[in-house]
Each structure stands twice: as C-alpha cells, then as structure tokens.
Amino acid sequence: MLTKRIIPCLDIKNGRTVKGVNFVDLRDAGDPVALADIYSKAGADELVFLDISATEERRKTLSNLVLSVAEKVNIPFTVGGGISSIEDVDVLLQNGADKVSVNSSAVKNPQLINDLAAKFGSQCITVAIDAKQIGGEWIVHLVGGKVPTALNLFEWASEVEKRGAGEILFTSMDHDGTKEGFANTALARLSQDLNIPIIASGGAGNIKHFVDTFKEGKADAALAASVFHFKEIEIKDLKEQLQDHDIPVRL
C-alpha cells in the first residue's frame, strides 16, 4: 500500500510566507526558506510553495526563491503561482523545483495541461483546483479564489486527468483556514472518479482531521499550512498517530 503524504504548504506573498482564513485576512508566517528547511528536517514528505500574488514580472523573484529552497531541502517540492507557459516551468525546474502547480492558467487555456505533460511528463504536473459550494454545487474559482467560473469541480477534475495531469490539489475554499476539517465527502468522490492522486487542502485543525481525510476522504496526501507554521501540530506526532490508526506513512 502506498504511504500517505504529509505536505506543508507555504503561501508566498512578496517573498514572505503568509496565511489567511477563507483566502483573506493574511498574516505573516515567516521566511519561506527557513520554514522549508525546518519541515524537511521534521519529516515532511513534500513541500508546496504557492506564490499567491504572482505576476509575470515577478517570475524572476520566484525562481530565485526556488533556487534557495533547493539548496536547503532534500524532499520533493512543488511550485505554483503565475505559471502560464512551458518557459515558466522550464525556469522553475532548472532552479530545482520537482513539480509545478497550475490553476487559473489551466482553466483559461486547458491545452496548457496537455502541453506541459507532453514536455515534462505527467509526474511533474499538478493541477490545483480551488472550489466552493454555491447552491449545493462545487464551483471552481480562479485568481486566488476571487473569481467564480462556470466549471463544476468534478467535471473539471475529470478533464484535467484526461489532459495529462499527474495529480490534483483540491482546496475547499469553504474549509480553508477554518480548522474544522477537510471536505471529505467531495474528496471521496474525487478519489472514486479519478485514477490520479488527490491532495486534500483546506480545513486542517487537529490530528483527527488528518485521520478522517485519509480514511473517509480517501485522500492520497494532506496539505496544511497554519497548523504547521504556528506549531499547533508537529509532523512527527502527526505521523505517529496516523500510524496508530493503521494509516501507512513514512517515519
């Protein structure tokens, strides 16, 4: 059985790690390179860096950050934010990123997923999907959750897989930062519908939430931010308790 992955997420704005609630009210959470080093040594399986305010002219800033992180960590890390071309991905991978995450750009140009998978391999391509429930339906949102689309979460996820994505990072905007648990019903449906790994994001508040998302949500990995940044949960303790619940992890 494949081990379940624990993934700290670092949302980057202006070179600093930030964290909010429901995608707003951001507060500073520290230096991303220092945090990456801490998590790598603490037993994290992977890291995700999302430049939440990325624009084209800041690509150089992000690539420099990637290079600094690559020099510090010995675990895989994914970088996202403002990626819209093969050239963007090439720069990040050359600077040490293992995978990239695309979100808004993939919705605006779905062919981008095909192109990136063909050029770099599906294992390199994560598609991030931010969604919230509107009228009982999960609706995909863009631009850091600010812009609703006409896309249904499950239909878009299915298309993403067909186009060559290697995994999906699903963030429930309704759960993000609330510390009330992951969107396990939606996660379980994604896991049932798709054959690629699903990363759960949004809602981690305690260790039981991680247990629940692996058992009930059938997630392949769980991503969290503030509970790790502010030391509410230690990764070692989390993994030991997951193992006690017969959830396979790398210790």
Side-chain angles (χ1 to χ4, degrees):
M1 185 183 294
L2 290 174
T3 56
K4 303 295 187 179
R5 291 172 286 151
I6 300 300
I7 307 175
C9 178
L10 293 88
D11 291 330
I12 310 299
K13 185 172 184 179
N14 300 325
R16 296 288 291 178
T17 308
V18 296
K19 185 59 194 140
V21 177
N22 302 128
F23 285 42
V24 295
D25 299 328
L26 302 177
R27 59 175 171 151
D28 189 274
D31 173 62
V33 178
L35 283 171
D37 187 32
I38 290 168
Y39 290 139
S40 178
K41 293 172 180 172
D45 297 295
E46 296 183 17
L47 296 169
V48 168
F49 293 82
L50 299 176
D51 187 341
I52 61 173
S53 58
T55 56
E56 200 59 40
E57 62 268 24
R58 293 189 60 235
R59 177 61 44 224
K60 186 172 187 295
T61 305
L62 187 56
S63 63
N64 289 343
L65 172 64
V66 168
L67 186 59
S68 297
V69 170
E71 291 171 345
K72 284 282 187 182
V73 306
N74 58 0
I75 56 175
F77 69 101
T78 301
V79 180
I83 295 170
S84 60
S85 69
I86 284 175
E87 291 73 25
D88 289 340
V89 175
D90 207 31
V91 167
L92 295 173
L93 295 182
Q94 284 187 29
N95 278 273
D98 297 282
K99 295 186 277 189
V100 296
S101 173
V102 292
N103 189 337
S104 297
S105 59
V107 173
K108 294 171 183 175
N109 174 25
Q111 180 62 34
L112 178 66
I113 304 170
N114 303 66
D115 295 344
L116 294 180
K119 173 74 173 177
F120 302 105
S122 291
Q123 81 288 342
C124 217
I125 311 304
T126 300
V127 173
I129 304 177
D130 302 329
K132 68 185 296 185
Q133 286 189 291
I134 299 176
E137 182 179 359
W138 283 96
I139 300 298
V140 176
H141 283 60
L142 305 183
V143 195
K146 296 180 178 68
V147 180
T149 70
L151 291 174
N152 170 279
L153 164 65
F154 305 105
E155 293 171 0
W156 174 234
S158 179
E159 179 177 347
V160 159
E161 179 181 38
K162 290 184 178 74
R163 288 183 176 274
E167 64 184 357
I168 286 174
L169 167 56
F170 163 53
T171 300
S172 166
M173 295 172 59
D174 297 322
H175 295 71
D176 178 70
T178 65
K179 299 185 181 179
E180 295 178 356
F182 295 92
N184 291 323
T185 301
L187 284 160
R189 180 172 169 187
L190 286 169
S191 182
Q192 180 180 331
D193 289 352
L194 306 176
N195 294 308
I196 56 176
I198 308 297
I199 303 171
S201 169
N206 57 49
I207 288 176
K208 184 178 184 299
H209 293 152
F210 287 88
V211 173
D212 290 345
T213 204
F214 290 131
K215 292 207 167 191
E216 299 170 15
K218 311 298 183 188
D220 298 281
L223 176 147
S226 60
V227 292
F228 296 141
H229 300 339
F230 303 118
K231 300 189 182 303
E232 294 162 38
I233 296 176
E234 295 289 348
I235 292 173
K236 182 175 181 291
D237 296 339
L238 170 58
K239 287 192 165 187
E240 287 174 351
Q241 290 203 40
L242 289 173
Q243 192 172 56
D244 288 344
H245 285 84
D246 298 320
I247 295 167
V249 292
R250 179 184 66 86
L251 288 174

